[in-house]
């Protein structure tokens, strides 16, 4: 600001002031002149840039897709972009994984689920400078429609899944723009943990991932994990259906806690309260008593356990089996283990791409198993543990560290990650477990382990109302609360047994991951209720 | 000649300093003598090769004598009262082989360790491409001797196995649902392993590799190995010879056939 008024100054000061003022004025004038020059230049440029943008209708942000018209355009999947399609002009819809401008070219990586491909916009007769600039400024994760020619490349593009081809873009439109600041970077989310620490590049920690699950699920690893999980469920259903099992749906809002009472969620039910089912146990058994012979069900299981561990969730997907048998509960064990082996074989033979993708970020040993499945007895396990230096009683339940150690010992001796431990002590099993006929200290119950962690707990059930009452009394359970359950066995019940597995835990252990939240899409635990 | 000529790159005759540590043999590629072509075609062997064979035989005989001498010395060191005359044949002629077998009962505890109240399971990993035939024989003998629980599994490293290999240990035992009723377990796993492998107690024993060694171990469950070290060594050498002949025999047979009749090899 120029001081225009100087009051009470001497002439000399006035003169000095005016000199300063002069200088200031000069500077201002220079600035104004420069500005004018710039504007003139811009004005001069603009008409030329508008003239030069011959590619104006080949790029841009079109109106939001509100189903304005039904185009009969085929969009090719990135997975199918191979040398076989070389020199064809195609349309592709994918996400912009990265975009990088380099002089007259812009390199983009377009990603679709587990696959990505390199694409390039170059100034030429199809693309203008403005188009290249537009492409470089597209925010990451935006969904784009691209019309491009597939070109073969001499050198393999190592950083993409489609290594033999690249796309030369002729038209590019942004269908859905992403906000510029992403809560997490996908490249960081896929980086293996060890690498990040060494080179100073970031990895994303689990809480951030779970808070921004929608973006985290877009990574190639997550895509692979959940596709494999879908495969597990599919194989479970198919194998059991082929064995003659019937799929049932059981209620999840129940009036009485089935397993023990301590770990149930209570919900308000009109004027009273009800519980969320801890397991479909009761209803599976009722179906057997209703002559369905062999049943299975897939549904949520709710456990109000305040355990913040790597393998517990408050809500998970339970895959449960129950079947009537002829003379010995080992018929049930054989059926269940055969189902598991068929699942493992199906995954080994049909999901290798997914397993390899997960291994890139989370390396692990491939899953090994024996057919028929190895069955050890509890006493043998105790002997093996004692030989290894563990002190434990004959009827003591296995603690988690002991289970892991036993898993390692079995792996060392038999080279299998999956086995059954049979004949658990009666004292550590629920009241409805059938006792062993030849030794009252043991029971006809079994656990199955994958990589040293328990995945299934099952048994022959007591199918006699009188014995059931005795066992319940022995365990000091209020008979009134389970009257309905005992009544189901009063009108003829076949001998039966079964067990249930957790889908998330089975996937986690099959892939050798270390936290069950990685295999649960929107996990629930004592500290997490959203998303 | 229609080819082009090239000037010689190096000189015609070079002087080579022969090392003194090697021995000379006549040049077999040099211009042959007048009668040698015919001699070879008749199937007779070149005399130089014959001389080499003779030398080799001589060396092997000397080695064998040395071995016997060392064994004798070893025995004198350990048992000072023993008779110094230790030619192998004399100690052997005193007993007939058939009575030696299954003479004294083997002690399971001394061989397999303390009984911990659970089934003692011997695990054998075998490659389905090379079934261990001797072990099937020993398995049969073990079944007569002990209450043996046998089971066969297929490891995930092998895609599939012919059904005969799955039932090679006989039908399933009626009591196989209760493992603790048995004294000994024999678990055979068909697995993609380079060499036959046996595991028993992973805390105290390392895995035993090789069909011969596994056979020796399992035989000790049936009968005590001969206590006389010379005799024991002889039995050992028989076992080794048998296995090498079996292995070599197959290969030698294949080699012979491939030389005489390639078509036969395809059939095999």
């Amino acid at each position: 600001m120029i001081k225009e008024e100087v009051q009470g100054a001497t002439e000399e000061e006035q003169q000095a002031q005016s000199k300063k003022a002069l200088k200031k004025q000069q500077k201002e004038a220079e600035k104004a002149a420069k500005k004018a020059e710039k504007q003139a230049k811009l004005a001069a440029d603009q008409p030329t840039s508008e003239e030069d943008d011959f590619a104006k209708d080949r790029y841009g942000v079109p109106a939001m897709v509100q189903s304005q018209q039904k185009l009969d355009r085929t969009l090719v999947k990135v997975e199918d972009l191979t040398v076989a399609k070389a020199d064809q002009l195609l349309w592709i819809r994918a996400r912009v994984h990265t975009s990088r401008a380099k002089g007259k070219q812009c390199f983009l990586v377009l990603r679709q689920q587990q696959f990505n491909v390199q694409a390039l916009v170059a100034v030429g007769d199809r693309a203008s400078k403005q188009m290249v600039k537009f492409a470089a400024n597209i925010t990451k994760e935006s969904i784009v429609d691209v019309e491009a020619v597939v070109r073969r490349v001499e050198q393999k593009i190592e950083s993409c899944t489609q290594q033999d081809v690249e796309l030369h873009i002729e038209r590019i439109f942004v269908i859905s723009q992403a906000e510029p600041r992403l809560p997490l970077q996908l490249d960081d989310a896929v980086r293996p943990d060890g690498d990040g620490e060494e080179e100073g590049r970031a990895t994303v920690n689990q809480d951030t991932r779970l808070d921004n699950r929608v973006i985290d699920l877009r990574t190639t690893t997550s895509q692979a994990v959940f596709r494999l999980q879908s495969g597990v469920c599919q194989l479970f259903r198919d194998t059991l259906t082929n064995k003659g099992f019937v799929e049932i749906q059981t209620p999840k809002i129940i009036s009485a806690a089935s397993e023990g009472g301590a770990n149930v969620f209570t919900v308000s039910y009109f004027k009273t309260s009800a519980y969320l089912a801890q397991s479909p146990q009761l209803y599976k058994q009722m179906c057997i008593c209703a002559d369905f012979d062999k049943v299975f069900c897939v549904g949520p299981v709710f456990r109000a356990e305040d355990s913040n561990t790597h393998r517990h969730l408050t809500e998970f997907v339970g895959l449960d089996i129950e079947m009537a048998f002829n003379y010995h509960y080992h018929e049930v064990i054989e059926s269940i283990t055969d189902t598991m082996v068929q699942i493992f074989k199906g995954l080994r033979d049909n999901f290798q791409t997914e397993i390899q993708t997960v291994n890139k970020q989370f390396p692990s040993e491939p899953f090994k198993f024996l057919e028929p499945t190895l069955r050890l007895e509890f006493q043998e396990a105790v002997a093996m543990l004692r030989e290894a230096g563990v002190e434990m009683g004959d009827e003591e339940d296995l603690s988690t560290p002991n289970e892991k150690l036993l898993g390692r010992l079995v792996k060392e001796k038999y080279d299998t990650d999956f086995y059954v431990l049979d004949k658990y002590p009666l004292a550590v099993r629920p009241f409805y477990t059938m006792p062993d006929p030849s030794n009252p200290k043991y029971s006809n119950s079994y656990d199955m382990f994958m990589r040293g962690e328990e995945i299934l707990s099952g048994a022959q059930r007591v199918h006699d109302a009188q014995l059931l009452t005795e066992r319940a009394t022995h365990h000091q359970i209020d008979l009134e609360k389970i009257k309905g359950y005992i009544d189901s066995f009063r009108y003829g019940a076949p001998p039966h047994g079964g067990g249930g597995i957790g889908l998330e835990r089975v996937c986690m252990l099959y892939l050798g991951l270390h936290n069950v939240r990685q295999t649960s899409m929107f996990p629930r635990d004592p500290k997490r209720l959203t998303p | 000649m229609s080819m082009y000529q090239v000037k010689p790159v190096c000189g015609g005759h070079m002087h080579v300093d022969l090392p003194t540590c090697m021995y000379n043999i006549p040049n077999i590629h040099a211009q042959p003598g007048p009668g040698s072509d015919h001699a070879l075609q008749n199937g007779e062997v070149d005399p130089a090769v014959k001389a080499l064979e003779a030398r080799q035989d001589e060396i092997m005989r000397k080695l064998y004598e040395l071995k016997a001498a060392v064994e004798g010395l070893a025995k004198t060191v350990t048992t000072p009262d023993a008779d110094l005359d230790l030619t192998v044949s004399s100690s052997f002629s005193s007993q007939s082989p058939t009575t030696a077998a299954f003479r004294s009962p083997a002690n399971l505890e001394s061989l397999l360790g303390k009984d911990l109240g659970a089934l003692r399971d011997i695990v054998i990993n075998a490659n389905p491409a090379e079934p261990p035939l001797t072990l099937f024989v020993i398995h049969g003998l073990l079944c007569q001797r002990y209450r043996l629980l046998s089971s066969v599994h297929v490891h995930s490293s092998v895609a599939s196995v012919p059904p005969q290999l799955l039932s090679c240990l006989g039908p399933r035992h009626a009591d196989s649902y209760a493992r603790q009723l048995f004294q000994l377990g024999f678990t055979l796993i068909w697995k993609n392993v380079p060499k036959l492998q046996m595991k028993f107690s992973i805390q105290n024993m390392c895995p035993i590799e090789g069909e011969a060694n596994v056979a020796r171990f399992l035989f000790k469950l049936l009968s005590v190995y001969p206590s006389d070290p010379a005799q024991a060594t002889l039995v050992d050498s028989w076992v080794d010879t048998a296995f090498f002949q079996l292995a070599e025999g197959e290969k030698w047979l294949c080699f012979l056939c491939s030389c005489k009749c390639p078509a036969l090899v395809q059939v095999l």
Side-chain angles (χ1 to χ4, degrees):
Chain A
M1 288 281 279
I2 305 169
K3 270 203 180 142
E4 292 180 0
E5 285 190 330
V6 178
Q7 286 176 355
T10 59
E11 258 197 34
E12 286 161 354
E13 278 182 359
Q14 272 186 341
Q15 273 188 342
Q17 289 293 346
S18 52
K19 264 196 188 164
K20 264 197 192 166
L22 254 172
K23 270 195 182 161
K24 269 197 177 155
Q25 267 183 332
Q26 265 184 335
K27 273 200 177 159
E28 290 277 309
E30 273 173 30
K31 262 196 189 167
K34 269 195 183 165
K35 212 177 178 184
E37 227 185 279
K38 250 193 191 172
Q39 275 186 340
K41 216 182 174 184
L42 264 173
D45 273 342
Q46 254 174 8
T48 53
S49 56
E50 274 172 15
E51 279 170 24
D52 285 349
D53 197 1
F54 56 86
K56 211 161 39 159
D57 56 348
R58 286 207 276 275
Y59 67 94
V61 184
M64 178 173 67
V65 175
Q66 250 181 313
S67 306
Q68 293 95 331
Q69 44 162 202
K70 189 165 185 297
L71 278 177
D72 243 341
R73 194 185 278 165
T74 321
L75 297 177
V76 178
K77 287 193 152 321
V78 170
E79 187 181 359
D80 297 331
L81 294 176
T82 57
V83 180
K85 289 201 158 37
D87 300 326
Q88 287 180 28
L89 183 66
L90 313 161
W91 279 94
I92 292 125
R93 178 173 291 184
R95 280 191 195 274
V96 171
H97 186 75
T98 52
S99 68
R100 195 177 74 242
K102 233 179 171 185
K104 290 206 171 169
Q105 293 177 323
C106 173
F107 285 95
L108 296 143
V109 173
L110 297 177
R111 185 190 82 236
Q112 197 180 57
Q113 296 173 346
Q114 292 178 71
F115 306 97
N116 51 22
V117 68
Q118 182 163 286
L120 137 75
V121 192
V123 176
D125 56 349
R126 303 295 295 164
S128 63
K129 216 166 44 174
Q130 292 84 347
M131 184 167 158
V132 175
K133 190 171 169 198
F134 172 79
N137 287 335
I138 300 180
T139 47
K140 282 191 188 179
E141 293 304 298
S142 299
I143 301 182
V144 291
D145 268 0
V146 154
E147 187 185 31
V149 180
V150 181
R151 294 269 184 238
R152 207 171 305 197
V153 281
E154 268 76 44
Q155 257 190 333
K156 275 188 186 272
I157 302 168
E158 297 289 327
S159 56
C160 291
T161 59
Q162 313 305 106
Q163 296 184 332
D164 300 324
V165 293
E166 72 176 358
L167 297 174
H168 289 212
I169 295 179
E170 306 208 346
R171 290 203 258 184
I172 181 163
F173 296 102
V174 177
I175 301 300
S176 175
Q177 211 162 28
E179 280 182 26
R181 283 178 63 85
L182 294 171
L184 61 98
Q185 295 299 324
L186 266 85
D187 279 333
D188 294 338
V190 183
R191 192 166 291 127
D193 274 323
D195 276 5
E197 283 163 30
E198 284 165 18
E199 298 178 36
R201 277 189 251 157
T203 52
V204 186
N205 82 353
Q206 194 165 271
D207 278 328
T208 319
R209 283 176 198 274
L210 294 177
D211 288 335
N212 302 288
R213 197 52 161 165
V214 168
I215 301 184
D216 183 51
L217 285 174
R218 292 182 196 170
T219 56
T220 46
T221 312
S222 297
Q223 291 281 322
V225 167
F226 292 104
R227 273 169 216 292
L228 191 124
Q229 196 173 79
S230 162
V232 171
C233 214
Q234 179 83 7
L235 287 160
F236 182 80
R237 280 209 167 93
D238 290 345
T239 314
L240 287 174
T241 311
N242 287 339
K243 285 183 196 274
F245 280 70
V246 175
E247 184 171 3
I248 59 170
Q249 307 297 336
T250 61
K252 308 298 170 206
I253 311 176
I254 56 176
S255 64
S258 48
E259 291 277 332
N263 305 321
V264 273
F265 287 112
T266 315
V267 290
S268 67
Y269 198 78
F270 303 108
K271 295 227 170 73
T272 61
S273 43
Y275 303 102
L276 291 180
Q278 290 168 306
S279 82
Q281 178 75 23
L282 171 60
Y283 297 97
K284 284 193 296 182
Q285 288 186 260
M286 285 165 76
C287 278
I288 300 296
C289 297
D291 278 354
F292 278 93
D293 199 41
K294 298 185 204 181
V295 296
F296 72 96
C297 64
V298 178
V301 170
F302 304 95
R303 300 249 166 112
E305 254 183 70
D306 199 358
S307 304
N308 293 297
T309 71
H310 70 281
R311 58 187 203 156
H312 284 101
L313 293 171
T314 48
E315 180 189 348
F316 60 91
V317 177
L319 306 172
D320 284 88
I321 304 176
E322 198 78 19
M323 61 181 265
F325 59 84
N326 299 334
Y327 295 105
H328 201 284
Y329 75 100
H330 279 184
E331 297 165 37
V332 179
I333 293 188
E334 274 160 26
S335 198
I336 300 180
T337 53
D338 186 59
T339 308
M340 296 305 297
V341 165
Q342 294 307 316
I343 293 177
F344 298 146
K345 279 185 173 175
L347 293 177
R348 176 192 70 186
D349 297 337
N350 302 324
F351 287 85
Q352 272 305 316
T353 325
E354 281 75 9
I355 297 174
Q356 295 309 321
T357 311
V358 176
N359 272 340
K360 266 192 237 165
Q361 185 174 358
F362 300 106
S364 75
E365 293 277 314
F367 191 81
K368 297 188 196 167
F369 53 92
L370 298 177
E371 186 186 5
T373 305
L374 180 68
R375 186 181 65 85
L376 299 176
E377 294 189 352
F378 193 81
Q379 286 176 320
E380 277 178 80
V382 172
M384 282 171 92
L385 286 170
R386 280 183 179 149
E387 204 183 14
V390 173
E391 285 178 16
M392 60 179 287
D394 281 338
E395 287 178 68
E396 204 182 303
D397 201 2
L398 298 177
S399 63
T400 315
N402 281 347
E403 282 177 0
K404 288 221 169 93
L405 174 59
L406 183 63
R408 281 202 295 276
L409 295 171
V410 169
K411 176 86 193 257
E412 180 65 42
K413 187 166 179 181
Y414 298 90
D415 200 23
T416 173
D417 287 313
F418 176 64
Y419 68 98
V420 184
L421 197 58
D422 191 16
K423 296 283 181 206
Y424 265 71
L426 187 59
V428 302
R429 302 305 264 190
F431 73 97
Y432 51 75
T433 311
M434 182 66 89
D436 185 336
S438 47
N439 188 341
K441 287 204 285 186
Y442 293 93
S443 63
N444 292 352
S445 66
Y446 43 88
D447 273 6
M448 298 191 191
F449 296 87
M450 277 172 72
R451 296 195 202 251
E453 294 195 30
E454 181 203 315
I455 57 150
L456 178 145
S457 210
Q460 178 184 355
R461 322 288 186 199
V462 174
H463 61 280
D464 178 74
Q466 194 185 343
L467 179 59
L468 195 56
T469 315
E470 279 171 33
R471 299 295 311 152
T473 317
H474 183 269
H475 278 254
Q476 292 165 337
I477 295 178
D478 186 353
L479 288 174
E480 267 308 304
K481 287 214 168 127
I482 54 167
K483 184 176 179 311
Y485 179 59
I486 297 183
D487 281 349
S488 8
F489 302 105
R490 284 172 58 196
Y491 308 109
H496 61 282
I501 57 175
L503 178 63
E504 290 90 348
R505 207 185 267 193
V506 168
C507 283
M508 167 183 87
L509 293 169
Y510 185 82
L511 291 168
L513 300 173
H514 296 292
N515 197 307
V516 73
R517 290 160 188 76
Q518 291 167 320
T519 48
S520 176
M521 263 200 184
F522 302 103
R524 293 282 176 268
D525 64 35
K527 299 205 160 71
R528 179 170 288 279
L529 260 181
T530 58
Chain B
M1 275 231 204
S2 55
M3 295 165 71
Y4 59 86
Q5 285 230 329
V6 178
K7 285 193 199 144
V9 176
C10 55
H13 289 277
M14 285 179 3
H15 176 68
V16 177
D17 268 340
L18 288 173
T20 52
C21 60
M22 297 163 71
Y23 53 81
N24 276 322
I25 57 166
N27 190 345
I28 53 175
H29 295 295
Q31 290 294 324
S36 54
D37 273 341
H38 300 292
L40 286 169
Q41 278 172 3
N42 278 347
E44 285 172 53
V45 184
D46 189 13
V49 176
K50 265 195 191 154
L52 211 65
E53 274 183 12
R55 278 179 65 191
Q56 184 181 2
D57 287 347
E58 182 67 43
I59 292 170
M60 290 300 283
R61 193 180 58 76
K62 280 187 191 165
L63 212 71
Y64 222 89
E65 279 171 12
L66 259 172
K67 189 171 156 195
V70 167
E71 276 174 13
L73 273 171
K75 197 162 182 202
T76 43
V77 167
T78 51
T79 53
D81 294 334
D83 193 345
L84 280 172
D85 181 18
L86 291 171
T87 48
V88 169
S89 50
S90 67
S91 62
F92 214 77
S93 55
S94 54
Q95 294 163 3
S96 65
T98 46
T99 53
F102 309 158
R103 188 177 19 128
S104 48
N107 193 346
L108 264 182
E109 274 210 10
S110 64
L111 195 62
L112 297 179
K114 200 166 85 81
D115 182 3
L116 292 166
L119 178 72
R120 291 172 164 119
D121 200 5
I122 298 174
V123 177
I124 296 185
N125 296 320
N127 197 323
E130 295 160 5
L133 305 166
T134 45
L135 296 189
F136 297 149
V137 174
I138 296 185
H139 170 262
L141 295 170
L142 282 170
C143 277
Q144 293 167 16
R145 195 71 212 277
Y146 300 103
R147 267 181 77 76
L148 190 76
L149 175 65
S150 350
S151 41
V152 181
H153 297 267
V154 177
H155 193 261
S156 54
S157 57
V158 172
S160 71
V161 147
Q164 298 94 313
L165 288 181
L166 290 174
S167 51
C168 56
L169 295 182
R172 220 162 97 162
H173 201 286
D175 289 336
S176 62
Y177 61 86
R179 284 167 73 95
Q180 42 174 317
L181 297 176
F182 294 84
Q183 291 170 293
L184 208 56
F186 192 96
T187 304
L188 178 63
I189 300 178
W190 294 115
K191 189 174 162 187
N192 191 3
V193 274
K195 248 183 143 179
L196 187 87
Q197 197 186 48
M198 190 203 100
K199 288 189 186 180
F200 177 64
S201 164
I202 44 191
Q203 303 291 328
N204 309 322
M205 284 168 54
C206 64
I208 297 181
E209 282 194 0
E211 198 178 331
N213 296 328
V214 176
R216 285 190 185 101
F217 181 87
L218 292 177
F219 181 75
K220 289 182 187 168
L221 292 173
L222 293 165
S223 164
V224 175
Y225 230 62
S227 51
D228 175 23
Q231 194 175 357
T233 317
L234 189 70
V235 173
D236 264 340
S237 72
W238 284 349
V239 174
D240 281 332
T241 316
F243 277 103
F244 288 141
Q245 275 188 350
L246 187 68
E248 292 302 316
E250 286 172 11
K251 289 183 198 165
W252 185 239
L253 197 63
C254 286
F255 173 67
L256 271 179
C257 290
S258 65
C259 288
K260 307 271 179 165
C261 180
L264 188 60
V265 174
Q266 280 181 356
V267 167
L268 285 174

